[in-house]
Amino acid sequence: MHSDPVGRRNSPTRRAVLGTVAGVAAAGAAGAYAWNRHGHGSGDGGDGGVSGRPGSRTFERLSDPGRTVVRGPDGDTLATFTDGARTAVLAGPSRTFSEPRTTKATVTTNAWVRVLPHAWQQGMEKSAWFKGWFTKTLADTGPDVFAAAFEYSSAGAPDKHNSAGVRYAGTAHFGPRNQAVNSPLDFAYHDERSDFYDYLGIPWTFSDGTRAQPEQARYGDVDCSGFQRLVWGYRMGLPLHNTNTKGAGLPRRAFAIAAYGPGRMVIPHTNRQPTELDVLQPGDLVFFAIIKNRPNFIDHCGMYMGLDDQGRHRFYSSRSAANGPTLGDLSGHSLLDGTDFYARGFRAARRL
């Protein structure tokens, strides 16, 4: 992390914690998500060629997008690595994520989303670093991307501080109250423009030398793209930059992440709601056009979680109506399929 350590700041008064952030199911149950509904992948469209058999594992090449799938001796998927992306999805103990304050839906999954040290390339399973990394990471039950993301749930998450006294996790909110908007269900009721360093309350120096200062009024707040930068950048170590142009790592706003972010597009932006969703895997960033008079301008982003208990494609994002990160259904269901508000606005997906 590239920042200036500062002393612990006093957190503003927080509203009472409501609801349950996430329940952890017993290990071993089968997860439900599009990339691996039955343990054998979905939407393969690949050549099915086996590139290596170290021990009882097989490495299979699939296409659209190009990726390497690791299978166990029973054929179940152990991991998926996508060419050009650092996102890796590994099978692990099943977990259930819930948020009763805002939805009855739950997501039960055995997908553990990790970040590779390098963008994946075909044949990397033969590299010197991979065997040790994979064996260690497959057995790791420490916080992954999902676990880190839920450490900011608007439904309530305990504060965590680093050695410098900086609160790096805990209940996040979306932004300051927007006095020009009266309805709490309006997506502008809380003001956007809160980035990860506002949440942290510390100044931040980016790799190009530019320096950003947090706004005191935005301490503990993070908007939709700022939330992804908080999780993927600050917590997971992906590079960040402070513009909306091309550059190394994640740019600032949702439209720029969609257009210029690292990794690869798995659902391109075609000005229409995508209907073929089997290409998605947990951890993919999903993008939405939700401004009424700009129906194709990307103005919101979230993280795809997989299938919920009703078999619907659910995502997790920082939103005004919930006043922070949510998988819930206030002022629009957190779904990619169907005809609800966010589903109609869904436009694209990127795998970081």
Side-chain angles (χ1 to χ4, degrees), residues 95-169:
R95 302 170 290 175
T96 295
F97 295 94
S98 63
E99 193 181 312
R101 181 177 69 100
T102 59
T103 184
K104 295 180 180 179
T106 62
V107 176
T108 299
T109 178
N110 69 348
W112 290 66
V113 182
R114 302 290 185 182
V115 175
L116 287 160
H118 320 281
W120 185 261
Q121 296 178 14
Q122 182 175 353
M124 264 191 172
E125 68 274 12
K126 301 175 184 176
S127 61
W129 64 269
F130 177 77
K131 184 176 180 180
W133 180 91
F134 182 65
T135 300
K136 178 181 178 181
T137 307
L138 191 63
D140 186 6
T141 56
D144 69 332
V145 173
F146 278 175
F150 274 81
E151 288 182 350
Y152 304 96
S153 172
S154 60
D159 288 352
K160 296 184 177 182
H161 298 83
N162 64 19
S163 59
V166 175
R167 188 187 70 142
Y168 69 88

Side-chain angles (χ1 to χ4, degrees), residues 187 288-292 294-295 297-300 341-342 345-346:
F187 69 83
F288 305 83
I290 59 173
I291 301 177
K292 186 175 182 180
R294 302 183 72 182
F297 177 72
I298 299 297
D299 194 48
H300 187 68
F341 177 73
Y342 284 98
F346 178 42

Side-chain angles (χ1 to χ4, degrees), residues 213-285:
Q213 295 290 337
E215 294 184 35
Q216 184 176 0
R218 297 178 182 276
Y219 176 74
D221 296 341
V222 64
D223 66 16
C224 67
S225 53
F227 176 53
Q228 300 304 327
R229 283 156 63 88
L230 179 63
V231 174
W232 292 94
Y234 181 77
R235 294 293 301 275
M236 296 294 136
L238 289 185
L240 298 164
H241 60 95
N242 205 32
T243 70
N244 293 309
T245 59
K246 292 181 179 179
L250 291 172
R252 172 62 182 100
R253 293 188 59 187
F255 77 87
I257 297 174
Y260 309 124
R264 61 182 298 167
M265 296 296 287
V266 292
I267 296 180
H269 183 10
T270 62
N271 298 333
R272 296 189 301 270
Q273 177 187 353
T275 56
E276 298 297 324
L277 304 183
D278 280 352
V279 69
L280 292 171
Q281 71 177 25
D284 287 350
L285 295 196

Side-chain angles (χ1 to χ4, degrees), residues 22-52:
V24 180
Y33 42 91
W35 77 286
N36 184 21
R37 289 183 193 176
H38 304 294
H40 298 284
S42 63
D44 286 346
D47 55 26
V50 175
S51 61

Side-chain angles (χ1 to χ4, degrees), residues 102 176 186 205 260 287 307:
T102 59
D186 192 297
T205 302
Y260 309 124
F287 301 93
L307 300 180

